[in-house]
Amino acid sequence: MERLSGLDASFLYLETPEQLMHVCSVMVMDKSTVPGGYSFATFRATLDERVRRVPQFTRRVRRVPLDLGHPVWVKDEHFAIDHHLHRMALPAPAGHAELMEMCGHLAGLPMDRGRPLWEMNVIEGYRGEDGEEKLVVFTKMHHATVDGASGANLISYLCSLEPDAPPLATDEIPMDGRSPGSLELFGRGIVSTLSRPLSIPKMLSPTLGLITETVSRAQHGTAMAPPLTAPRTSFNGTITGHRTIAVGDMDLEDVKAVRRATGATVNDIVLSIAGGALRDYLLERDELPDSSLLATVPVSVRGESKRDEGANKVSALFTRLGTDIADPLERLTAMTEANKHAKDHHNAISADTLQDWAEFAAPRTFGLAVRAYAGLRLADRHPVVHNLVISNVPGPPIPLYFMGARMDGMYPLGPVFHGAGVNITVLSNNGVVHVGVIA
């Protein structure tokens, strides 16, 4: 048994039928590298063997009685691979458009909370630009289980460096298989509820320090862009449960060449490219606002956090994307300067601030508030908090093999929210920058 951290549990409370809190990926693979040839039966058997060694794939959520505390992870005694692995085929001839349509449909389907919160859909029949049939696996994992960095690591547990090599993580990761009784969970919930206020005093000092720091930086023009100052666009309102997906590739060496020429970071360049793409998109629709779009950029604090518990170890900063600047080099220059201030401002914030305050998310109250927010369509009425979320996740610089198939593309897709209906996630792998967009 393992208790969910407040931040992990918050992703369960945030979920509605329209606002789904799972992260997805589209993995496009060359099945010709599979030793002995690809067959779904072998794929299924190998995956079944590997996931049983990693607790994140075989644990499920169990609620605390009366929602007195955050839920706990318990081992699923009835785990079966067929509940999580599904096989489907695209109608021939199937190309990129048909694949994206199917993946968008899958991304809009909720997962069964009575089982471990992940799914894999093997999609057969897709032919790439070279005309060769590719193996596609569409994955879904709930954000309560992973963040961007841990999600990439979790997939790597199932991958190998050679087609016939064992997975990168070969040792079974232990997990307490004991399933607590309802009375024990009830008691733990009461203790957690009563002890929670005791942590407030130690949180006030860093929080007040953050406010003081922000005010000072704002006076000197070195603060990160504030929320609630974003212009409204057509994707900043109450969302539906339907999803649209697009993916693309960039050469990592091209990005590095820009970095060497300008001194900008890879993250600055990725954000600037996203800003240019959004500018073009909004111009085509005659919707480009006069002021710049504002993005939330998740930042991993895995190396700085002092908390051992929890799958999500993230903070966030706000940055303007320069969509009001036509020239790409001017946009990158402005973004590099602004991001330097945003990073300095972010570094002044305790790495555990978000995780500490998330502990106060009351399950029942938080869930009711989210459903009321969606039902009243408040995202259409109040000032726009932010326009979208953009994540940049570093991946391995070498080829990976998933069940023996060489990974040619791994396109990550984060969640979208009421008020911010677009998410762009970028992952680099083996010299290629894979871009996933979901709306």
Side-chain angles (χ1 to χ4, degrees), residues 359-390:
E359 289 298 324
F360 290 85
R364 190 175 299 276
T365 305
F366 204 104
L368 288 172
V370 171
R371 288 191 289 274
Y373 181 86
L376 296 172
R377 301 183 67 88
L378 296 181
D380 300 329
R381 304 178 186 181
H382 62 66
V384 178
V385 179
H386 59 155
N387 296 111
L388 72 158
V389 176
I390 302 181

Coordinates of all heavy atoms in Angstrom, one line a residue, residues 359-390:
E359 N -1.4 19.2 -0.8 CA -1.9 18.3 0.3 C -3.2 18.7 0.8 O -3.9 17.9 1.4 CB -0.8 18.2 1.4 CG 0.4 17.4 1.0 CD 0.2 16.0 0.6 OE1 -0.7 15.4 1.3 OE2 0.8 15.5 -0.3
F360 N -3.6 20.0 0.7 CA -4.8 20.5 1.2 C -6.0 20.3 0.3 O -7.1 20.8 0.6 CB -4.6 22.0 1.6 CG -3.7 22.2 2.8 CD1 -2.4 22.2 2.6 CD2 -4.3 22.3 4.1 CE1 -1.5 22.4 3.7 CE2 -3.4 22.4 5.2 CZ -2.1 22.5 5.0
A361 N -5.8 19.7 -0.9 CA -6.9 19.5 -1.8 C -7.9 18.4 -1.2 O -7.5 17.3 -1.1 CB -6.4 19.0 -3.1
A362 N -9.0 18.9 -0.8 CA -10.0 17.9 -0.2 C -10.7 17.2 -1.3 O -11.3 17.8 -2.2 CB -11.0 18.7 0.7
P363 N -10.7 15.8 -1.2 CA -11.3 15.1 -2.3 C -12.7 15.4 -2.7 O -12.9 15.7 -3.9 CB -11.2 13.6 -1.8 CG -10.1 13.6 -0.8 CD -10.1 15.0 -0.2
R364 N -13.6 15.5 -1.8 CA -15.0 15.7 -2.1 C -15.2 17.2 -2.6 O -15.8 17.5 -3.6 CB -15.9 15.4 -0.9 CG -17.4 15.4 -1.3 CD -18.2 14.9 -0.1 NE -17.8 13.6 0.4 CZ -18.3 12.5 -0.2 NH1 -19.2 12.6 -1.2 NH2 -18.0 11.3 0.3
T365 N -14.6 18.1 -1.8 CA -14.8 19.5 -2.1 C -14.2 19.9 -3.4 O -14.7 20.6 -4.3 CB -14.2 20.4 -1.0 OG1 -14.8 20.0 0.2 CG2 -14.5 21.9 -1.2
F366 N -13.0 19.4 -3.7 CA -12.2 19.7 -4.9 C -13.0 19.2 -6.1 O -13.2 19.9 -7.1 CB -10.8 19.1 -4.8 CG -9.8 19.7 -5.7 CD1 -8.9 20.6 -5.2 CD2 -9.8 19.5 -7.1 CE1 -7.9 21.2 -6.0 CE2 -8.8 20.1 -7.9 CZ -7.9 20.9 -7.3
G367 N -13.5 17.9 -6.0 CA -14.2 17.3 -7.1 C -15.5 18.1 -7.4 O -15.8 18.3 -8.6
L368 N -16.2 18.5 -6.4 CA -17.5 19.2 -6.6 C -17.2 20.6 -7.3 O -17.9 21.0 -8.1 CB -18.2 19.4 -5.3 CG -18.9 18.2 -4.7 CD1 -19.4 18.5 -3.3 CD2 -20.0 17.7 -5.6
A369 N -16.1 21.2 -6.8 CA -15.8 22.5 -7.4 C -15.4 22.4 -8.8 O -15.8 23.3 -9.7 CB -14.6 23.1 -6.6
V370 N -14.7 21.4 -9.2 CA -14.3 21.2 -10.6 C -15.5 21.0 -11.5 O -15.7 21.5 -12.6 CB -13.3 20.1 -10.8 CG1 -13.0 19.7 -12.2 CG2 -11.9 20.4 -10.1
R371 N -16.4 20.1 -11.0 CA -17.6 19.9 -11.8 C -18.5 21.1 -11.9 O -19.1 21.3 -13.0 CB -18.4 18.7 -11.2 CG -17.7 17.3 -11.4 CD -18.6 16.2 -11.0 NE -18.8 16.1 -9.5 CZ -18.0 15.5 -8.7 NH1 -16.9 14.9 -9.2 NH2 -18.2 15.4 -7.4
A372 N -18.6 21.9 -10.8 CA -19.4 23.1 -10.9 C -18.7 24.1 -11.9 O -19.4 24.8 -12.6 CB -19.5 23.7 -9.5
Y373 N -17.4 24.2 -11.8 CA -16.7 25.1 -12.7 C -17.0 24.8 -14.2 O -17.2 25.6 -15.0 CB -15.2 25.0 -12.5 CG -14.3 25.9 -13.3 CD1 -14.0 27.2 -12.9 CD2 -13.7 25.4 -14.5 CE1 -13.2 28.0 -13.7 CE2 -12.9 26.2 -15.2 CZ -12.6 27.5 -14.8 OH -11.8 28.3 -15.6
A374 N -17.0 23.5 -14.5 CA -17.3 23.0 -15.9 C -18.8 23.2 -16.2 O -19.1 23.7 -17.3 CB -16.9 21.6 -16.0
G375 N -19.7 22.8 -15.3 CA -21.1 22.9 -15.6 C -21.6 24.4 -15.8 O -22.4 24.6 -16.6
L376 N -21.0 25.3 -15.0 CA -21.4 26.7 -15.2 C -20.6 27.4 -16.3 O -20.8 28.6 -16.5 CB -21.1 27.4 -13.8 CG -22.0 27.0 -12.6 CD1 -21.5 27.6 -11.4 CD2 -23.4 27.3 -12.9
R377 N -19.7 26.7 -16.9 CA -18.9 27.3 -18.0 C -18.2 28.6 -17.6 O -18.1 29.6 -18.3 CB -19.8 27.5 -19.3 CG -20.5 26.3 -19.8 CD -21.3 26.6 -21.0 NE -20.5 26.9 -22.1 CZ -20.0 26.0 -23.0 NH1 -20.2 24.7 -22.8 NH2 -19.2 26.4 -24.0
L378 N -17.6 28.5 -16.4 CA -16.9 29.7 -15.9 C -15.6 30.0 -16.7 O -15.2 31.2 -16.7 CB -16.5 29.5 -14.4 CG -17.7 29.3 -13.5 CD1 -17.2 29.1 -12.1 CD2 -18.6 30.5 -13.6
A379 N -15.1 29.0 -17.4 CA -13.9 29.3 -18.2 C -14.2 30.3 -19.4 O -13.2 30.9 -19.9 CB -13.3 28.0 -18.8
D380 N -15.4 30.4 -19.7 CA -15.8 31.3 -20.8 C -16.0 32.8 -20.3 O -16.1 33.7 -21.1 CB -17.1 30.9 -21.4 CG -17.1 29.5 -22.0 OD1 -16.0 29.1 -22.5 OD2 -18.1 28.8 -22.0
R381 N -16.0 32.9 -18.9 CA -16.4 34.2 -18.4 C -15.2 35.0 -17.7 O -15.1 36.2 -17.9 CB -17.5 34.0 -17.4 CG -18.7 33.3 -17.9 CD -19.8 33.0 -16.9 NE -20.9 32.2 -17.4 CZ -21.9 31.9 -16.7 NH1 -22.0 32.3 -15.4 NH2 -22.9 31.1 -17.2
H382 N -14.4 34.3 -17.0 CA -13.4 35.0 -16.2 C -12.1 35.3 -17.1 O -12.0 34.7 -18.2 CB -12.9 34.3 -15.0 CG -12.3 32.9 -15.3 ND1 -11.1 32.7 -15.9 CD2 -12.8 31.6 -15.0 CE1 -10.8 31.4 -16.0 NE2 -11.8 30.8 -15.4
P383 N -11.2 36.2 -16.7 CA -10.0 36.4 -17.6 C -9.3 35.1 -17.8 O -9.3 34.2 -16.9 CB -9.2 37.4 -16.7 CG -10.2 38.1 -15.8 CD -11.3 37.1 -15.6
V384 N -8.6 35.0 -19.0 CA -7.9 33.8 -19.3 C -6.7 33.6 -18.5 O -5.8 34.5 -18.4 CB -7.5 33.8 -20.8 CG1 -6.7 32.6 -21.2 CG2 -8.8 34.0 -21.7
V385 N -6.6 32.5 -17.8 CA -5.4 32.3 -16.9 C -4.2 32.1 -17.7 O -3.1 32.7 -17.5 CB -5.7 31.0 -16.0 CG1 -4.4 30.8 -15.1 CG2 -6.9 31.2 -15.2
H386 N -4.2 31.2 -18.7 CA -3.2 30.9 -19.6 C -3.8 30.3 -20.9 O -4.9 29.8 -20.9 CB -2.1 30.0 -19.0 CG -2.7 28.6 -18.7 ND1 -1.9 27.5 -18.6 CD2 -4.0 28.2 -18.3 CE1 -2.7 26.5 -18.2 NE2 -3.9 26.9 -18.0
N387 N -3.1 30.4 -22.0 CA -3.6 30.0 -23.3 C -3.4 28.5 -23.5 O -4.3 27.8 -24.1 CB -3.0 30.8 -24.5 CG -3.4 32.2 -24.4 OD1 -2.5 33.1 -24.2 ND2 -4.6 32.6 -24.6
L388 N -2.3 28.0 -23.1 CA -2.0 26.5 -23.4 C -0.9 26.1 -22.5 O -0.3 26.9 -21.8 CB -1.6 26.3 -24.8 CG -0.3 26.9 -25.3 CD1 0.2 26.1 -26.6 CD2 -0.3 28.3 -25.6
V389 N -0.6 24.8 -22.5 CA 0.5 24.2 -21.8 C 1.5 23.7 -22.8 O 1.1 23.1 -23.8 CB 0.0 23.0 -20.9 CG1 1.2 22.3 -20.2 CG2 -1.0 23.5 -19.8
I390 N 2.8 24.0 -22.6 CA 3.9 23.4 -23.4 C 4.9 22.8 -22.5 O 5.4 23.3 -21.6 CB 4.6 24.6 -24.2 CG1 3.5 25.3 -25.1 CG2 5.7 24.0 -25.1 CD1 4.2 26.4 -25.9

